[in-house]
C-alpha cells in the first residue's frame, strides 16, 4: 500500500486525517522520549446524540481536550458507526489543540 501524506482536500481546504495526527503525536513522543496517551470517554449518549471527550496526556500532564458530537443516522457513516466516528473526531480535535493539525483548521477529516 502506498504511503500518503495524511493531508486531504475537502471543499478546497487541506485537512490532516486523524490517523496522520496520531502518527505525528506518537513520533513526537518517541523523539523526546516521553510517554503519552489518548483517552476517550462518552460524555452523553441519549436521544440519538452522542458527545465524546478525548484527552491528550503527556507523562502525567493533561495537555489538551477535544469534544465532538454526532447524531445517529445523520450520515451513512453515522447509520452504523456514530460512536466510533464521534470518538475519532474528538481525538482529532484534541490533537489539533496540541499542534498536530493542518495549517487551515483544528477540524479533522
Amino acid at each position: 500500500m502506498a504511503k500518503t501524506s495524511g493531508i486531504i482536500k475537502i471543499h478546497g481546504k487541506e485537512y490532516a486525517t486523524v490517523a496522520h495526527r496520531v502518527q505525528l503525536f506518537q513520533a513526537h513522543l518517541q523523539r523526546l522520549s516521553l510517554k503519552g496517551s489518548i483517552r476517550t470517554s462518552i460524555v452523553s449518549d441519549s436521544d440519538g446524540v452522542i458527545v465524546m471527550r478525548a484527552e491528550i496526556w503527556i507523562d502525567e500532564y493533561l495537555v489538551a481536550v477535544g469534544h465532538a458530537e454526532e447524531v445517529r443516522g445523520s450520515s451513512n457513516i453515522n447509520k452504523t458507526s456514530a460512536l466510533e466516528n464521534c470518538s475519532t473526531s474528538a481525538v482529532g480535535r484534541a490533537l489539533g489543540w496540541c499542534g498536530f493539525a493542518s495549517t487551515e483548521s483544528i477540524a479533522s477529516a
Side-chain angles (χ1 to χ4, degrees):
M1 178 177 237
K3 187 174 180 178
T4 64
S5 70
I7 305 295
I8 61 174
K9 276 199 169 195
I10 298 177
H11 303 298
K13 290 188 175 185
E14 291 186 344
Y15 291 92
T17 65
V18 176
H20 182 64
R21 292 176 190 207
V22 170
Q23 289 173 343
L24 292 173
F25 175 65
Q26 292 171 336
H28 181 72
L29 293 174
Q30 187 175 14
R31 268 193 313 276
L32 298 175
S33 298
L34 297 171
K35 293 185 185 220
S37 63
I38 299 170
R39 304 173 190 175
T40 61
S41 60
I42 300 170
V43 174
S44 66
D45 184 356
S46 88
D47 297 324
V49 178
I50 303 164
V51 178
M52 296 286 300
R53 172 186 171 103
E55 300 176 343
I56 307 301
W57 289 79
I58 297 178
D59 289 331
E60 71 273 13
Y61 301 102
L62 175 63
V63 296
V65 174
H67 288 87
E69 177 181 281
E70 295 291 343
V71 177
R72 290 186 187 275
S74 63
S75 67
N76 281 337
I77 191 73
N78 284 345
K79 287 178 184 174
T80 61
S81 306
L83 182 66
E84 297 90 330
N85 189 30
C86 194
S87 177
T88 301
S89 294
V91 168
R93 293 186 64 76
L95 287 169
W97 289 119
C98 291
F100 300 102
S102 62
T103 58
E104 298 187 42
S105 177
I106 293 295
S108 61

